[in-house]
């Protein structure tokens, strides 16, 4: 298959490992600040869309012109990373409510992409068969979850990281203690702070802030320690 990936360079190695070397990949960065910068991106998209069998659009592209362009002009299945909004929101913003045949959400956070199951959501229940066909061609098993902010795994992992931040902020334990305790006590592959660094502290903050705005559930209220690190663009010192 020819896989078109928009704004996925930050997980390119993980993406290629997930789906394997038998596919053809086109990674296109869609970040731009002017019409002059958009022109070569548009040209690259034009060429890739012609032969793409499936497209993955990462969260960084959701507010860019590339999302509308991609959704409007391709007939292949489109997977949009769902972190800060519903899949239905992305559909409405991209197509102004016009129907699209094959639109899916997926979990693409670093460290959470290359798993046995691809975590996905549906915009239209009628597309379940096409989803199964596409995932089979990609060579991945998958699990359909509810269309909601953060899907399932990002919501859980980011909440754990947030609680760990409150624990350290309150002076109950150090970051190193928390990481070691979670690895030994729960058999997690990484402690919360090391995991936050691997995902990207700013991405963790973005997911939690979106969950808070969507639900106003106290579980998702961002710890000041996490917010400070994210706004500074700094990883945790572990």
């Amino acid at each position: 298959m020819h896989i078109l990936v928009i704004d996925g360079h930050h997980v390119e190695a993980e993406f290629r490992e997930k789906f394997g070397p038998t596919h053809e990949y086109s990674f296109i960065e869609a970040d731009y600040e002017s019409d002059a910068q958009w022109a070569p991106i548009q040209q690259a998209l034009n060429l890739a869309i012609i032969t793409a069998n499936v497209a993955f659009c990462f969260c960084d592209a959701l507010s860019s012109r590339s999302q509308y362009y991609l959704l409007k002009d391709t007939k292949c299945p489109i997977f949009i990373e769902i972190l800060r909004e519903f899949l239905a929101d992305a559909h409405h913003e991209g197509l102004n409510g016009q129907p699209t045949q094959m639109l899916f959400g997926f979990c693409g956070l670093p460290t959470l992409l290359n798993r046995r199951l691809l975590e996905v959501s549906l915009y239209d229940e009628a597309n379940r068969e096409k989803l199964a066909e596409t995932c089979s061609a990609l060579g991945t098993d998958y699990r359909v979850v509810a269309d909601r902010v953060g899907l399932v795994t990002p919501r859980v992992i980011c909440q754990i990281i947030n609680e760990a931040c409150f624990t350290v902020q309150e002076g109950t334990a150090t970051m190193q203690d928390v990481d070691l305790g979670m690895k030994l006590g729960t058999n997690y592959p990484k402690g919360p702070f090391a995991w936050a660094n691997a995902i990207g502290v700013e991405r963790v903050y973005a997911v939690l802030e979106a969950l808070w705005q969507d639900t106003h559930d106290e579980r998702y209220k961002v710890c000041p320690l996490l917010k400070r690190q994210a706004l500074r663009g700094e990883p945790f010192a572990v």
Side-chain angles (χ1 to χ4, degrees):
M1 295 184 77
H2 177 196
I3 305 174
L4 171 60
V5 184
I6 307 296
D7 282 343
H9 275 89
H10 61 291
V11 288
E12 181 171 350
E14 187 177 355
F15 196 96
R16 289 179 181 274
E17 186 176 355
K18 164 67 178 172
F19 297 112
T22 60
H23 302 292
E24 176 188 352
Y25 297 89
S26 294
F27 283 83
I28 297 176
E29 288 296 289
D31 188 25
Y32 68 96
E33 296 180 355
S34 67
D35 287 342
Q37 291 176 325
W38 167 247
I41 295 172
Q42 183 181 29
Q43 183 177 18
L45 282 170
N46 276 334
L47 293 174
I49 284 172
I50 292 172
T51 58
N53 302 111
V54 61
F56 285 83
C57 189
F58 279 80
C59 199
D60 289 344
L62 289 181
S63 60
S64 74
R65 190 183 308 175
S66 63
Q67 182 204 6
Y68 173 77
Y69 188 84
L70 179 65
L71 296 182
K72 180 176 180 293
D73 292 319
T74 185
K75 301 299 182 182
C76 71
I78 301 164
F79 290 80
I80 295 179
E81 185 183 25
I82 298 300
L83 294 180
R84 298 189 288 259
E85 62 182 354
F86 292 83
L87 181 58
D89 292 331
H91 176 269
H92 179 74
E93 292 170 10
L95 292 176
N96 295 320
Q98 298 176 42
T100 186
Q101 292 183 340
M102 296 165 287
L103 186 63
F104 310 102
F106 81 105
C107 169
L109 278 180
T111 77
L112 300 181
L113 175 61
N114 186 21
R115 298 180 289 162
R116 184 179 66 84
L117 292 172
L118 182 67
E119 188 173 325
V120 298
S121 60
L122 285 167
Y123 177 75
D124 187 342
E125 284 290 330
N127 289 331
R128 278 188 179 269
E129 185 175 342
K130 187 61 181 181
L131 174 63
E133 176 188 320
T134 302
C135 287
S136 176
L138 287 168
T140 182
D141 201 352
Y142 66 97
R143 180 67 52 83
V144 177
V145 301
D147 175 28
R148 60 174 297 185
V149 175
L151 298 182
V152 174
T153 310
R155 190 170 71 248
V156 172
I157 298 301
C158 291
Q159 184 183 349
I160 290 171
I161 292 168
N162 199 42
E163 289 299 322
C165 288
F166 277 116
T167 299
V168 170
Q169 181 175 276
E170 292 163 0
T172 306
T174 67
M175 293 182 189
Q176 291 76 12
D177 290 339
V178 172
D179 271 8
L180 182 61
M182 289 294 287
K183 288 179 67 177
L184 296 179
T186 65
N187 200 32
Y188 273 37
K190 295 179 176 64
F193 294 100
W195 211 337
N197 289 346
I199 292 173
V201 178
E202 292 157 311
R203 292 188 182 93
V204 174
Y205 169 69
V207 172
L208 288 166
E209 181 63 21
L211 284 165
W212 168 250
Q213 293 299 327
D214 181 50
T215 67
H216 287 287
D217 188 322
E218 288 293 322
R219 293 178 297 171
Y220 306 124
K221 194 169 185 178
V222 183
C223 176
L225 173 61
L226 174 59
K227 182 176 182 178
R228 183 186 67 201
Q229 293 298 114
L231 295 180
R232 288 179 175 179
E234 297 176 356
F236 290 110
V238 293

